[in-house]
Amino acid sequence: MKKIYFRQTIGLLLAAGLVCGCGEKGTQEQKAPTRVKTQMVSPGFVDNAQAYVGIVEEREATAVSFTGMGVVKRVLVSEGQAVSRGQLIAEMDDTQARNVLSGAEAQMTQADDALARYSMLHDNGSLPEVQWVEIQSKVAQAKSQLEVAKKNLADCRLTAPVSGIVGKKIIGAGETAMPSQAVVNILDISSVKVKVAIPEAEVGSISANTRSSIQVDAIDRSFEGGRIEKGVVADALTHTYDVRINVANTGHQLLPGMVASVKFTPEGSASLSGKSIPVTSVQKGSDGSLFVWTIAKDSTVHRQKVTLGSTRGNYISVVDGINLGQRIVTEGYQKLSDGSKVIF
């Protein structure tokens, strides 16, 4: 009986070991992510649209500076911080300005006292008119000096003239600021401009209303360009003209310096409305429905049924199913299944 019991015990232990071993092996052999090529869903454009590289620029930049010279006591903002008009930006050491103001106030008190004393003589006709005019001039001069001293003290506090984002902090605490030397730059990015250099042979095909599609990989988003501003002076070395495309910047996602891929659709060319995707990204399911592989934030893929429209070249318009800015798989989808991990 003891031998039988011993053999049963050994058998159970071996079975348990095999189960544990298989579990560990299964964990170690988890399927590696599949490498695929992807593309963002973009506003409709034809495949022969002209493509360029652009740089995002702020709508407007304002250099904020002190009007006088002095040592900066503190800077109250940092780069990237949102500021409102009238907000305190920095302060300068105001010791000298306060001393000047005290002197001006003393002179104003003395001038007012002299005016009160001589006023009685003037009213009695005992004061020559020339001397009375001189007293009044001294009072006006003291008042003017007092106003200047007050303004100089107020100018030791630097406030934001406009609302925006602090782009760059140029001077820090302890440094000497010179008149009109920028302390910070405030950028207006409520809307932005995408600057593109266009060769002189191609700039003629672009007008203020030419359609454009803009892809910014840094934030994985695409945008439809607005009105275009064309430069009139060519670069002497490259013979290109600067073209700036106005783009709405809701949420301030587009930041100055970001690189953008820009495609123009010349006027009169066939174009796709709404959204467009490469024809090769569309797959057909076993039930006959059409779908694409979309990529989630956790890098997993999922089938997404789509309703398609007309085809132009290598692109097809999408009526329903996906949104602008979504990332879809264009190559390498043969081994994918719903929920698979991918790298791109």
Side-chain angles (χ1 to χ4, degrees):
M1 292 293 293
K2 290 182 178 179
K3 290 183 178 180
I4 294 174
Y5 177 76
F6 178 75
R7 289 174 180 174
Q8 290 176 343
T9 304
I10 293 298
L12 290 172
L13 290 173
L14 289 173
L18 288 172
V19 171
C20 292
C22 290
E24 292 175 359
K25 185 176 180 181
T27 302
Q28 293 173 355
E29 294 182 356
Q30 286 182 347
K31 189 176 180 181
T34 304
R35 180 171 292 279
V36 295
K37 288 187 178 181
T38 67
Q39 183 171 314
M40 302 289 290
V41 180
S42 59
F45 55 84
V46 294
D47 60 330
N48 62 349
Q50 298 165 299
Y52 304 90
V53 175
I55 299 294
V56 176
E57 293 182 339
E58 65 279 358
R59 179 174 176 270
E60 189 174 356
T62 303
V64 186
S65 61
F66 289 105
T67 57
M69 183 180 72
V71 177
V72 177
K73 185 164 60 175
R74 57 176 181 162
V75 179
L76 303 173
V77 296
S78 56
E79 294 182 0
Q81 179 180 338
V83 295
S84 302
R85 182 177 180 179
Q87 181 176 334
L88 184 62
I89 298 294
E91 288 183 319
M92 184 185 291
D93 185 0
D94 60 0
T95 303
Q96 183 177 355
R98 288 188 180 278
N99 291 335
V100 172
L101 177 60
S102 297
E105 289 174 339
Q107 288 182 356
M108 187 74 246
T109 301
Q110 184 180 8
D112 285 338
D113 181 68
L115 180 65
R117 291 174 183 275
Y118 282 102
S119 179
M120 292 184 293
L121 295 176
H122 178 266
D123 293 342
N124 293 332
S126 304
L127 185 71
E129 191 65 27
V130 174
Q131 193 172 356
W132 174 242
V133 172
E134 184 180 349
I135 294 298
Q136 289 181 316
S137 298
K138 288 183 178 180
V139 171
Q141 185 178 5
K143 185 177 181 180
S144 176
Q145 290 177 346
L146 178 61
E147 294 300 323
V148 171
K150 287 180 178 179
K151 186 177 185 306
N152 288 339
L153 179 60
D155 287 343
C156 291
R157 291 168 54 87
L158 185 62
T159 57
V162 294
S163 299
I165 304 294
V166 177
K168 187 175 183 181
K169 187 167 69 173
I170 302 170
I171 295 180
E175 297 183 70
T176 300
M178 303 299 292
S180 301
Q181 180 184 9
V183 177
V184 297
N185 288 330
I186 297 179
L187 309 179
D188 179 1
I189 58 172
S190 55
S191 64
V192 295
K193 297 179 181 181
V194 178
K195 185 179 76 170
V196 185
I198 306 296
E200 60 182 1
E202 301 170 11
V203 73
S205 64
I206 298 174
S207 69
N209 299 315
T210 299
R211 292 182 57 201
S212 60
S213 300
I214 299 164
Q215 170 65 39
V216 181
D217 290 337
I219 56 175
D220 276 346
R221 283 200 59 188
S222 57
F223 302 84
E224 187 169 356
R227 189 170 180 82
I228 293 175
E229 302 171 7
K230 291 175 60 175
V232 295
V233 179
D235 184 277
L237 295 177
T238 62
H239 297 284
T240 58
Y241 289 83
D242 285 341
V243 168
R244 288 176 170 83
I245 309 166
N246 288 279
V247 182
N249 192 21
T250 305
H252 294 173
Q253 290 184 304
L254 290 171
L255 299 176
M258 286 184 173
V259 178
S261 175
V262 180
K263 287 192 175 184
F264 293 100
T265 302
E267 296 178 11
S269 63
S271 62
L272 301 177
S273 60
K275 297 154 287 191
S276 67
I277 57 176
V279 174
T280 55
S281 64
V282 180
Q283 306 298 308
K284 191 172 185 178
S286 56
D287 59 354
S289 63
L290 300 177
F291 70 92
V292 294
W293 291 107
T294 60
I295 301 179
K297 291 183 179 180
D298 60 355
S299 296
T300 58
V301 294
H302 303 278
R303 291 190 182 208
Q304 181 62 52
K305 291 184 179 181
V306 291
T307 303
L308 302 178
S310 58
T311 303
R312 291 290 185 274
N314 296 329
Y315 285 85
I316 189 167
S317 63
V318 182
V319 178
D320 189 31
I322 52 177
N323 300 317
L324 288 174
Q326 279 190 282
R327 186 172 289 278
I328 61 173
V329 177
T330 57
E331 293 184 30
Y333 43 72
Q334 290 81 359
K335 297 182 180 180
L336 297 180
S337 59
D338 207 82
S340 297
K341 281 274 189 179
V342 295
I343 53 176
F344 52 92

